[in-house]
Amino acid sequence: MARLHLVRHGETTSNVLKRLDTALPGASLTDFGARQGVRFGLEHPLTDSAVLVNSVANRAQQTAELIGSVWDSSTETVEGVHEIQVGDLEGRSDREAHEQFHEIVVRWHRGDLDARLPGGESLEMLHDRYLPIIDDLASRYLTGENQRDVYLVSHGAAIRLIAAHLTRLDPEFAMKNYLTNTGSVELEFTGDLWVCHRWGEATLPDADGSDTAPGYEDPMG
């Protein structure tokens, strides 16, 4: 069965500075982030043709292009799958801003669709723009006779929120298991439901939430 791989972009200057960076077009990759994109392509060689898609943010486009250069594959930019917007906290790197963001993230993971930061988006708003893209990719590539794996280069917080929603994973697991730059979530669409096979370094469904990836609440896309 073909699978959907939600891939976080490579490292950016905002990641290094721990700066909240969600507005478009956003920061570019660092040199290390560019190497991460190339390494992802090398470490995930294609055995069959795959679809490579990315958000409109600079960092996602650059990461996808670097992966595509290794695979000799073209990329497609799609609207709607960029990072959830932090509004008035944009550009801040202070502890207070991070704590405010983390509080809202916890509420999102626990099902509060309406929680939002001033000037930012709610979880419902993220669902409204992101899920139709997932549905379209699933109908075009993950079902039927000519199935192909899809690699969607997107953003950390959005990926975890969307993947947890699709698969109905324990929200505590989704909150604890951060995605490092170019970390990915591997999903399979059975026609009736989504199944998560891998989340970062954790293999599912055996994971029970006790294996947590290192890191902090990283809202920089």
mmCIF file of all heavy atoms in Angstrom, residues 87-128:
data_model
loop_
_atom_site.group_PDB
_atom_site.id
_atom_site.type_symbol
_atom_site.label_atom_id
_atom_site.label_comp_id
_atom_site.label_asym_id
_atom_site.label_seq_id
_atom_site.Cartn_x
_atom_site.Cartn_y
_atom_site.Cartn_z
ATOM 1 N N GLY A 87 0.277 34.635 14.883
ATOM 2 C CA GLY A 87 -0.285 35.978 15.013
ATOM 3 C C GLY A 87 0.641 36.971 15.686
ATOM 4 O O GLY A 87 1.765 37.204 15.246
ATOM 5 N N ASP A 88 0.191 37.550 16.782
ATOM 6 C CA ASP A 88 0.922 38.627 17.452
ATOM 7 C C ASP A 88 2.245 38.174 18.054
ATOM 8 O O ASP A 88 3.075 39.014 18.417
ATOM 9 C CB ASP A 88 0.053 39.248 18.556
ATOM 10 C CG ASP A 88 -1.162 39.977 17.996
ATOM 11 O OD1 ASP A 88 -1.243 40.133 16.763
ATOM 12 O OD2 ASP A 88 -2.038 40.377 18.793
ATOM 13 N N LEU A 89 2.456 36.876 18.173
ATOM 14 C CA LEU A 89 3.728 36.366 18.707
ATOM 15 C C LEU A 89 4.792 36.211 17.625
ATOM 16 O O LEU A 89 5.935 35.852 17.925
ATOM 17 C CB LEU A 89 3.526 35.024 19.403
ATOM 18 C CG LEU A 89 2.645 35.003 20.645
ATOM 19 C CD1 LEU A 89 2.669 33.616 21.286
ATOM 20 C CD2 LEU A 89 3.095 36.051 21.659
ATOM 21 N N GLU A 90 4.437 36.488 16.391
ATOM 22 C CA GLU A 90 5.370 36.314 15.280
ATOM 23 C C GLU A 90 6.676 37.070 15.514
ATOM 24 O O GLU A 90 6.680 38.239 15.902
ATOM 25 C CB GLU A 90 4.731 36.806 13.976
ATOM 26 C CG GLU A 90 5.544 36.550 12.725
ATOM 27 C CD GLU A 90 5.601 35.075 12.352
ATOM 28 O OE1 GLU A 90 4.689 34.322 12.745
ATOM 29 O OE2 GLU A 90 6.561 34.700 11.657
ATOM 30 N N GLY A 91 7.785 36.384 15.309
ATOM 31 C CA GLY A 91 9.107 36.984 15.412
ATOM 32 C C GLY A 91 9.691 37.010 16.806
ATOM 33 O O GLY A 91 10.853 37.378 16.977
ATOM 34 N N ARG A 92 8.925 36.597 17.808
ATOM 35 C CA ARG A 92 9.432 36.649 19.180
ATOM 36 C C ARG A 92 10.187 35.371 19.536
ATOM 37 O O ARG A 92 9.899 34.291 19.032
ATOM 38 C CB ARG A 92 8.278 36.867 20.166
ATOM 39 C CG ARG A 92 7.695 38.267 20.086
ATOM 40 C CD ARG A 92 6.508 38.459 21.002
ATOM 41 N NE ARG A 92 6.797 38.150 22.407
ATOM 42 C CZ ARG A 92 5.914 38.282 23.399
ATOM 43 N NH1 ARG A 92 4.688 38.750 23.124
ATOM 44 N NH2 ARG A 92 6.236 37.975 24.639
ATOM 45 N N SER A 93 11.156 35.514 20.421
ATOM 46 C CA SER A 93 11.947 34.365 20.863
ATOM 47 C C SER A 93 12.064 34.304 22.378
ATOM 48 O O SER A 93 12.801 33.479 22.910
ATOM 49 C CB SER A 93 13.350 34.421 20.245
ATOM 50 O OG SER A 93 14.006 35.633 20.602
ATOM 51 N N ASP A 94 11.328 35.171 23.089
ATOM 52 C CA ASP A 94 11.430 35.219 24.548
ATOM 53 C C ASP A 94 10.643 34.080 25.186
ATOM 54 O O ASP A 94 9.756 33.473 24.586
ATOM 55 C CB ASP A 94 10.917 36.569 25.061
ATOM 56 C CG ASP A 94 9.488 36.843 24.609
ATOM 57 O OD1 ASP A 94 9.301 37.217 23.429
ATOM 58 O OD2 ASP A 94 8.559 36.652 25.415
ATOM 59 N N ARG A 95 10.958 33.818 26.433
ATOM 60 C CA ARG A 95 10.353 32.705 27.151
ATOM 61 C C ARG A 95 8.842 32.873 27.287
ATOM 62 O O ARG A 95 8.089 31.890 27.144
ATOM 63 C CB ARG A 95 10.991 32.580 28.541
ATOM 64 C CG ARG A 95 10.435 31.437 29.373
ATOM 65 C CD ARG A 95 11.213 31.258 30.654
ATOM 66 N NE ARG A 95 10.694 30.155 31.448
ATOM 67 C CZ ARG A 95 11.242 29.722 32.579
ATOM 68 N NH1 ARG A 95 12.352 30.297 33.042
ATOM 69 N NH2 ARG A 95 10.704 28.714 33.233
ATOM 70 N N GLU A 96 8.390 34.082 27.547
ATOM 71 C CA GLU A 96 6.955 34.309 27.711
ATOM 72 C C GLU A 96 6.182 33.919 26.459
ATOM 73 O O GLU A 96 5.116 33.297 26.531
ATOM 74 C CB GLU A 96 6.681 35.770 28.053
ATOM 75 C CG GLU A 96 5.199 36.086 28.242
ATOM 76 C CD GLU A 96 4.938 37.561 28.515
ATOM 77 O OE1 GLU A 96 5.913 38.338 28.599
ATOM 78 O OE2 GLU A 96 3.752 37.933 28.623
ATOM 79 N N ALA A 97 6.722 34.286 25.297
ATOM 80 C CA ALA A 97 6.058 33.956 24.041
ATOM 81 C C ALA A 97 5.993 32.451 23.841
ATOM 82 O O ALA A 97 4.960 31.906 23.427
ATOM 83 C CB ALA A 97 6.783 34.622 22.877
ATOM 84 N N HIS A 98 7.092 31.765 24.138
ATOM 85 C CA HIS A 98 7.112 30.312 23.984
ATOM 86 C C HIS A 98 6.129 29.647 24.944
ATOM 87 O O HIS A 98 5.464 28.667 24.579
ATOM 88 C CB HIS A 98 8.518 29.779 24.200
ATOM 89 C CG HIS A 98 9.401 29.947 23.003
ATOM 90 N ND1 HIS A 98 9.539 28.987 22.026
ATOM 91 C CD2 HIS A 98 10.185 30.982 22.620
ATOM 92 C CE1 HIS A 98 10.373 29.414 21.096
ATOM 93 N NE2 HIS A 98 10.792 30.623 21.441
ATOM 94 N N GLU A 99 6.034 30.161 26.150
ATOM 95 C CA GLU A 99 5.101 29.586 27.115
ATOM 96 C C GLU A 99 3.657 29.791 26.672
ATOM 97 O O GLU A 99 2.828 28.881 26.816
ATOM 98 C CB GLU A 99 5.332 30.206 28.496
ATOM 99 C CG GLU A 99 6.632 29.740 29.149
ATOM 100 C CD GLU A 99 6.894 30.415 30.483
ATOM 101 O OE1 GLU A 99 6.206 31.440 30.780
ATOM 102 O OE2 GLU A 99 7.774 29.943 31.228
ATOM 103 N N GLN A 100 3.353 30.967 26.117
ATOM 104 C CA GLN A 100 2.005 31.209 25.607
ATOM 105 C C GLN A 100 1.682 30.258 24.475
ATOM 106 O O GLN A 100 0.581 29.692 24.412
ATOM 107 C CB GLN A 100 1.880 32.657 25.120
ATOM 108 C CG GLN A 100 1.847 33.707 26.211
ATOM 109 C CD GLN A 100 1.659 35.094 25.626
ATOM 110 O OE1 GLN A 100 0.749 35.334 24.830
ATOM 111 N NE2 GLN A 100 2.534 36.020 26.001
ATOM 112 N N PHE A 101 2.632 30.083 23.584
ATOM 113 C CA PHE A 101 2.402 29.184 22.459
ATOM 114 C C PHE A 101 2.205 27.753 22.934
ATOM 115 O O PHE A 101 1.293 27.051 22.489
ATOM 116 C CB PHE A 101 3.558 29.258 21.473
ATOM 117 C CG PHE A 101 3.352 28.376 20.262
ATOM 118 C CD1 PHE A 101 2.550 28.797 19.211
ATOM 119 C CD2 PHE A 101 3.939 27.131 20.189
ATOM 120 C CE1 PHE A 101 2.352 27.988 18.103
ATOM 121 C CE2 PHE A 101 3.742 26.315 19.096
ATOM 122 C CZ PHE A 101 2.947 26.743 18.045
ATOM 123 N N HIS A 102 3.055 27.326 23.859
ATOM 124 C CA HIS A 102 2.960 25.952 24.369
ATOM 125 C C HIS A 102 1.604 25.710 25.019
ATOM 126 O O HIS A 102 0.997 24.640 24.831
ATOM 127 C CB HIS A 102 4.082 25.687 25.375
ATOM 128 C CG HIS A 102 4.021 24.316 25.976
ATOM 129 N ND1 HIS A 102 4.385 23.188 25.287
ATOM 130 C CD2 HIS A 102 3.603 23.896 27.204
ATOM 131 C CE1 HIS A 102 4.211 22.132 26.058
ATOM 132 N NE2 HIS A 102 3.740 22.539 27.218
ATOM 133 N N GLU A 103 1.108 26.666 25.759
ATOM 134 C CA GLU A 103 -0.188 26.508 26.406
ATOM 135 C C GLU A 103 -1.294 26.279 25.380
ATOM 136 O O GLU A 103 -2.182 25.428 25.571
ATOM 137 C CB GLU A 103 -0.512 27.760 27.234
ATOM 138 C CG GLU A 103 -1.870 27.709 27.925
ATOM 139 C CD GLU A 103 -2.200 28.992 28.656
ATOM 140 O OE1 GLU A 103 -1.301 29.856 28.807
ATOM 141 O OE2 GLU A 103 -3.365 29.139 29.081
ATOM 142 N N ILE A 104 -1.261 27.032 24.285
ATOM 143 C CA ILE A 104 -2.270 26.874 23.250
ATOM 144 C C ILE A 104 -2.096 25.540 22.525
ATOM 145 O O ILE A 104 -3.086 24.859 22.196
ATOM 146 C CB ILE A 104 -2.217 28.042 22.252
ATOM 147 C CG1 ILE A 104 -2.579 29.348 22.952
ATOM 148 C CG2 ILE A 104 -3.150 27.795 21.077
ATOM 149 C CD1 ILE A 104 -3.985 29.381 23.523
ATOM 150 N N VAL A 105 -0.862 25.129 22.286
ATOM 151 C CA VAL A 105 -0.609 23.848 21.632
ATOM 152 C C VAL A 105 -1.205 22.709 22.449
ATOM 153 O O VAL A 105 -1.816 21.780 21.901
ATOM 154 C CB VAL A 105 0.903 23.628 21.405
ATOM 155 C CG1 VAL A 105 1.190 22.184 21.015
ATOM 156 C CG2 VAL A 105 1.425 24.554 20.315
ATOM 157 N N VAL A 106 -1.018 22.744 23.751
ATOM 158 C CA VAL A 106 -1.591 21.713 24.624
ATOM 159 C C VAL A 106 -3.111 21.680 24.470
ATOM 160 O O VAL A 106 -3.718 20.603 24.354
ATOM 161 C CB VAL A 106 -1.196 21.966 26.088
ATOM 162 C CG1 VAL A 106 -1.978 21.045 27.026
ATOM 163 C CG2 VAL A 106 0.310 21.749 26.278
ATOM 164 N N ARG A 107 -3.733 22.835 24.443
ATOM 165 C CA ARG A 107 -5.181 22.892 24.278
ATOM 166 C C ARG A 107 -5.611 22.327 22.925
ATOM 167 O O ARG A 107 -6.631 21.627 22.816
ATOM 168 C CB ARG A 107 -5.674 24.330 24.456
ATOM 169 C CG ARG A 107 -5.533 24.849 25.886
ATOM 170 C CD ARG A 107 -5.864 26.329 25.996
ATOM 171 N NE ARG A 107 -7.253 26.607 25.623
ATOM 172 C CZ ARG A 107 -7.770 27.839 25.583
ATOM 173 N NH1 ARG A 107 -7.008 28.895 25.889
ATOM 174 N NH2 ARG A 107 -9.028 28.015 25.242
ATOM 175 N N TRP A 108 -4.834 22.610 21.888
ATOM 176 C CA TRP A 108 -5.142 22.060 20.571
ATOM 177 C C TRP A 108 -5.083 20.538 20.591
ATOM 178 O O TRP A 108 -5.990 19.864 20.108
ATOM 179 C CB TRP A 108 -4.166 22.594 19.529
ATOM 180 C CG TRP A 108 -4.398 24.022 19.128
ATOM 181 C CD1 TRP A 108 -5.589 24.710 19.157
ATOM 182 C CD2 TRP A 108 -3.416 24.928 18.621
ATOM 183 N NE1 TRP A 108 -5.398 25.992 18.700
ATOM 184 C CE2 TRP A 108 -4.081 26.151 18.362
ATOM 185 C CE3 TRP A 108 -2.055 24.839 18.361
ATOM 186 C CZ2 TRP A 108 -3.415 27.265 17.852
ATOM 187 C CZ3 TRP A 108 -1.385 25.938 17.857
ATOM 188 C CH2 TRP A 108 -2.062 27.137 17.600
ATOM 189 N N HIS A 109 -4.007 20.003 21.131
ATOM 190 C CA HIS A 109 -3.852 18.554 21.142
ATOM 191 C C HIS A 109 -4.938 17.872 21.969
ATOM 192 O O HIS A 109 -5.261 16.707 21.723
ATOM 193 C CB HIS A 109 -2.470 18.169 21.665
ATOM 194 C CG HIS A 109 -1.392 18.237 20.622
ATOM 195 N ND1 HIS A 109 -1.313 17.349 19.574
ATOM 196 C CD2 HIS A 109 -0.354 19.100 20.455
ATOM 197 C CE1 HIS A 109 -0.279 17.652 18.810
ATOM 198 N NE2 HIS A 109 0.327 18.711 19.327
ATOM 199 N N ARG A 110 -5.481 18.590 22.925
ATOM 200 C CA ARG A 110 -6.539 18.014 23.762
ATOM 201 C C ARG A 110 -7.934 18.330 23.237
ATOM 202 O O ARG A 110 -8.925 18.111 23.930
ATOM 203 C CB ARG A 110 -6.358 18.489 25.197
ATOM 204 C CG ARG A 110 -5.099 17.889 25.820
ATOM 205 C CD ARG A 110 -4.815 18.380 27.213
ATOM 206 N NE ARG A 110 -3.626 17.699 27.755
ATOM 207 C CZ ARG A 110 -2.998 18.047 28.870
ATOM 208 N NH1 ARG A 110 -3.436 19.083 29.583
ATOM 209 N NH2 ARG A 110 -1.942 17.378 29.279
ATOM 210 N N GLY A 111 -7.993 18.815 21.989
ATOM 211 C CA GLY A 111 -9.269 18.909 21.311
ATOM 212 C C GLY A 111 -9.959 20.247 21.301
ATOM 213 O O GLY A 111 -11.109 20.341 20.841
ATOM 214 N N ASP A 112 -9.302 21.305 21.771
ATOM 215 C CA ASP A 112 -9.918 22.634 21.778
ATOM 216 C C ASP A 112 -9.740 23.263 20.402
ATOM 217 O O ASP A 112 -8.714 23.875 20.106
ATOM 218 C CB ASP A 112 -9.280 23.510 22.863
ATOM 219 C CG ASP A 112 -10.014 24.828 23.058
ATOM 220 O OD1 ASP A 112 -10.796 25.211 22.172
ATOM 221 O OD2 ASP A 112 -9.790 25.472 24.099
ATOM 222 N N LEU A 113 -10.759 23.144 19.558
ATOM 223 C CA LEU A 113 -10.676 23.625 18.184
ATOM 224 C C LEU A 113 -10.628 25.141 18.078
ATOM 225 O O LEU A 113 -10.127 25.692 17.096
ATOM 226 C CB LEU A 113 -11.870 23.111 17.375
ATOM 227 C CG LEU A 113 -11.929 21.616 17.098
ATOM 228 C CD1 LEU A 113 -13.260 21.261 16.440
ATOM 229 C CD2 LEU A 113 -10.778 21.173 16.216
ATOM 230 N N ASP A 114 -11.161 25.823 19.091
ATOM 231 C CA ASP A 114 -11.309 27.278 19.010
ATOM 232 C C ASP A 114 -10.172 28.063 19.662
ATOM 233 O O ASP A 114 -10.093 29.281 19.488
ATOM 234 C CB ASP A 114 -12.631 27.706 19.646
ATOM 235 C CG ASP A 114 -13.829 27.124 18.912
ATOM 236 O OD1 ASP A 114 -13.778 27.047 17.675
ATOM 237 O OD2 ASP A 114 -14.796 26.726 19.581
ATOM 238 N N ALA A 115 -9.313 27.396 20.421
ATOM 239 C CA ALA A 115 -8.212 28.100 21.087
ATOM 240 C C ALA A 115 -7.300 28.733 20.050
ATOM 241 O O ALA A 115 -6.970 28.125 19.033
ATOM 242 C CB ALA A 115 -7.420 27.134 21.963
ATOM 243 N N ARG A 116 -6.885 29.975 20.305
ATOM 244 C CA ARG A 116 -5.993 30.649 19.361
ATOM 245 C C ARG A 116 -5.257 31.773 20.072
ATOM 246 O O ARG A 116 -5.713 32.296 21.089
ATOM 247 C CB ARG A 116 -6.777 31.212 18.171
ATOM 248 C CG ARG A 116 -7.848 32.219 18.554
ATOM 249 C CD ARG A 116 -8.775 32.553 17.395
ATOM 250 N NE ARG A 116 -8.090 33.199 16.287
ATOM 251 C CZ ARG A 116 -8.724 33.675 15.221
ATOM 252 N NH1 ARG A 116 -10.042 33.553 15.114
ATOM 253 N NH2 ARG A 116 -8.056 34.280 14.258
ATOM 254 N N LEU A 117 -4.114 32.113 19.521
ATOM 255 C CA LEU A 117 -3.355 33.248 19.994
ATOM 256 C C LEU A 117 -3.889 34.513 19.327
ATOM 257 O O LEU A 117 -4.435 34.449 18.216
ATOM 258 C CB LEU A 117 -1.876 33.063 19.671
ATOM 259 C CG LEU A 117 -1.183 31.921 20.414
ATOM 260 C CD1 LEU A 117 0.104 31.530 19.714
ATOM 261 C CD2 LEU A 117 -0.898 32.323 21.857
ATOM 262 N N PRO A 118 -3.738 35.675 19.969
ATOM 263 C CA PRO A 118 -4.222 36.923 19.356
ATOM 264 C C PRO A 118 -3.640 37.115 17.956
ATOM 265 O O PRO A 118 -2.419 37.061 17.774
ATOM 266 C CB PRO A 118 -3.723 38.000 20.321
ATOM 267 C CG PRO A 118 -3.615 37.303 21.641
ATOM 268 C CD PRO A 118 -3.165 35.904 21.312
ATOM 269 N N GLY A 119 -4.511 37.299 16.998
ATOM 270 C CA GLY A 119 -4.070 37.506 15.627
ATOM 271 C C GLY A 119 -3.678 36.242 14.900
ATOM 272 O O GLY A 119 -3.296 36.290 13.725
ATOM 273 N N GLY A 120 -3.747 35.103 15.579
ATOM 274 C CA GLY A 120 -3.326 33.845 14.981
ATOM 275 C C GLY A 120 -4.489 32.952 14.591
ATOM 276 O O GLY A 120 -5.639 33.384 14.571
ATOM 277 N N GLU A 121 -4.169 31.707 14.294
ATOM 278 C CA GLU A 121 -5.171 30.755 13.848
ATOM 279 C C GLU A 121 -5.617 29.837 14.976
ATOM 280 O O GLU A 121 -4.901 29.623 15.955
ATOM 281 C CB GLU A 121 -4.612 29.893 12.714
ATOM 282 C CG GLU A 121 -4.425 30.616 11.401
ATOM 283 C CD GLU A 121 -3.970 29.673 10.309
ATOM 284 O OE1 GLU A 121 -2.892 29.060 10.461
ATOM 285 O OE2 GLU A 121 -4.683 29.547 9.295
ATOM 286 N N SER A 122 -6.778 29.257 14.790
ATOM 287 C CA SER A 122 -7.275 28.204 15.665
ATOM 288 C C SER A 122 -6.992 26.854 15.021
ATOM 289 O O SER A 122 -6.655 26.768 13.827
ATOM 290 C CB SER A 122 -8.781 28.356 15.894
ATOM 291 O OG SER A 122 -9.475 28.138 14.680
ATOM 292 N N LEU A 123 -7.166 25.781 15.792
ATOM 293 C CA LEU A 123 -6.995 24.442 15.236
ATOM 294 C C LEU A 123 -8.039 24.184 14.147
ATOM 295 O O LEU A 123 -7.740 23.545 13.137
ATOM 296 C CB LEU A 123 -7.126 23.397 16.351
ATOM 297 C CG LEU A 123 -6.977 21.939 15.936
ATOM 298 C CD1 LEU A 123 -5.649 21.688 15.243
ATOM 299 C CD2 LEU A 123 -7.139 21.021 17.154
ATOM 300 N N GLU A 124 -9.246 24.679 14.335
ATOM 301 C CA GLU A 124 -10.271 24.509 13.317
ATOM 302 C C GLU A 124 -9.859 25.171 12.008
ATOM 303 O O GLU A 124 -10.088 24.623 10.918
ATOM 304 C CB GLU A 124 -11.601 25.084 13.787
ATOM 305 C CG GLU A 124 -12.743 24.864 12.800
ATOM 306 C CD GLU A 124 -14.081 25.293 13.350
ATOM 307 O OE1 GLU A 124 -14.109 26.095 14.311
ATOM 308 O OE2 GLU A 124 -15.112 24.832 12.819
ATOM 309 N N MET A 125 -9.223 26.329 12.079
ATOM 310 C CA MET A 125 -8.759 27.011 10.876
ATOM 311 C C MET A 125 -7.678 26.197 10.172
ATOM 312 O O MET A 125 -7.625 26.140 8.937
ATOM 313 C CB MET A 125 -8.263 28.412 11.231
ATOM 314 C CG MET A 125 -9.370 29.341 11.726
ATOM 315 S SD MET A 125 -8.753 30.867 12.499
ATOM 316 C CE MET A 125 -8.160 31.743 11.055
ATOM 317 N N LEU A 126 -6.794 25.584 10.961
ATOM 318 C CA LEU A 126 -5.782 24.715 10.366
ATOM 319 C C LEU A 126 -6.444 23.538 9.660
ATOM 320 O O LEU A 126 -6.096 23.206 8.519
ATOM 321 C CB LEU A 126 -4.818 24.207 11.442
ATOM 322 C CG LEU A 126 -3.768 23.202 10.950
ATOM 323 C CD1 LEU A 126 -2.744 23.878 10.045
ATOM 324 C CD2 LEU A 126 -3.068 22.520 12.131
ATOM 325 N N HIS A 127 -7.400 22.897 10.330
ATOM 326 C CA HIS A 127 -8.109 21.773 9.721
ATOM 327 C C HIS A 127 -8.775 22.182 8.412
ATOM 328 O O HIS A 127 -8.723 21.440 7.422
ATOM 329 C CB HIS A 127 -9.175 21.244 10.685
ATOM 330 C CG HIS A 127 -8.620 20.454 11.826
ATOM 331 N ND1 HIS A 127 -9.417 19.940 12.825
ATOM 332 C CD2 HIS A 127 -7.355 20.082 12.139
ATOM 333 C CE1 HIS A 127 -8.669 19.287 13.700
ATOM 334 N NE2 HIS A 127 -7.415 19.372 13.314
ATOM 335 N N ASP A 128 -9.382 23.353 8.401
ATOM 336 C CA ASP A 128 -10.149 23.789 7.234
ATOM 337 C C ASP A 128 -9.286 23.957 5.991
ATOM 338 O O ASP A 128 -9.758 23.750 4.870
ATOM 339 C CB ASP A 128 -10.871 25.109 7.534
ATOM 340 C CG ASP A 128 -12.067 24.927 8.452
ATOM 341 O OD1 ASP A 128 -12.507 23.778 8.654
ATOM 342 O OD2 ASP A 128 -12.551 25.949 8.981
#
